[in-house]
Amino acid sequence: MNREQFISKVEATSQALRRFLVGLCCGDTALADDIAQETFLKAYLSIDTFRDQAKFSSWLYRIAYNTFISIKRAGRQSLSLDHAEAVAADDRADSAFRYQALYAALDGLSEKERTAILLFYLQDYSIKEIAEIIDASEAAVKQQLSRGRAHLKGMLTAQK
């Protein structure tokens, strides 16, 4: 793959990847943007590991997910949920916080459940593709989706 092809593929996937990362980061757009930039850089530097038989977006999502996990393990955390809720409760808060209840609920999920939910429902990946992205079995992905749905339902119902 040459540079122009890489740029074209990144441009085609960047908005969807960013939406996924914003959800994964529970609404922290700054952290999501940082992870997206790191992901694109890592992808560009390791383009020789990309196999044409694999779907480019799946490969990119795997890099993004692994980057997210690395950042979480390193302790670089986003703003606290309490801080985000306080800002959202402010009368001057703009429409950027309209999804705050969802982000708060997503923050209550484990990283694996949140990732499975976002990839399945937001990005329309199949269970098999999600399993490849997060390096898990299909049975594990099904279990994460089931648990994630149950947890989300409970949290969103409790918020009403």
Side-chain angles (χ1 to χ4, degrees), residues 41-91:
L41 179 61
K42 286 178 180 180
Y44 186 73
L45 293 175
S46 62
I47 195 65
D48 58 327
T49 65
F50 174 67
R51 304 290 175 245
D52 286 338
Q53 69 271 16
K55 195 172 164 188
F56 181 80
S57 61
S58 296
W59 179 71
L60 199 59
Y61 275 76
R62 183 176 180 99
I63 294 170
Y65 174 73
N66 288 336
T67 302
F68 169 77
I69 295 298
S70 296
I71 286 172
K72 286 295 191 178
R73 285 186 184 146
R76 292 191 285 182
Q77 298 290 328
S78 59
L79 293 175
S80 73
L81 184 59
D82 293 334
H83 176 72
E85 288 174 344
V87 172
D90 187 338
D91 289 336

Side-chain angles (χ1 to χ4, degrees), residues 6 10 14 17-18 21 29-45 60 63-64 67 71:
F6 177 81
V10 165
S14 64
L17 180 73
R18 187 175 181 284
L21 289 171
T29 56
L31 180 59
D33 288 342
D34 288 347
I35 294 172
Q37 289 301 318
E38 259 186 77
T39 297
F40 297 137
L41 179 61
K42 286 178 180 180
Y44 186 73
L45 293 175
L60 199 59
I63 294 170
T67 302
I71 286 172

Side-chain angles (χ1 to χ4, degrees), residues 96-133:
F97 293 100
R98 67 183 171 266
Y99 299 115
Q100 197 58 38
L102 177 60
Y103 292 141
L106 286 169
D107 192 45
L109 299 178
S110 73
E111 290 172 1
K112 290 183 179 188
E113 289 173 354
R114 182 172 48 223
T115 302
I117 291 285
L118 291 170
L119 287 173
F120 189 78
Y121 289 104
L122 185 65
Q123 304 301 333
D124 293 325
Y125 277 101
S126 69
I127 290 172
K128 182 180 180 182
E129 290 171 321
I130 296 168
E132 291 171 7
I133 289 170

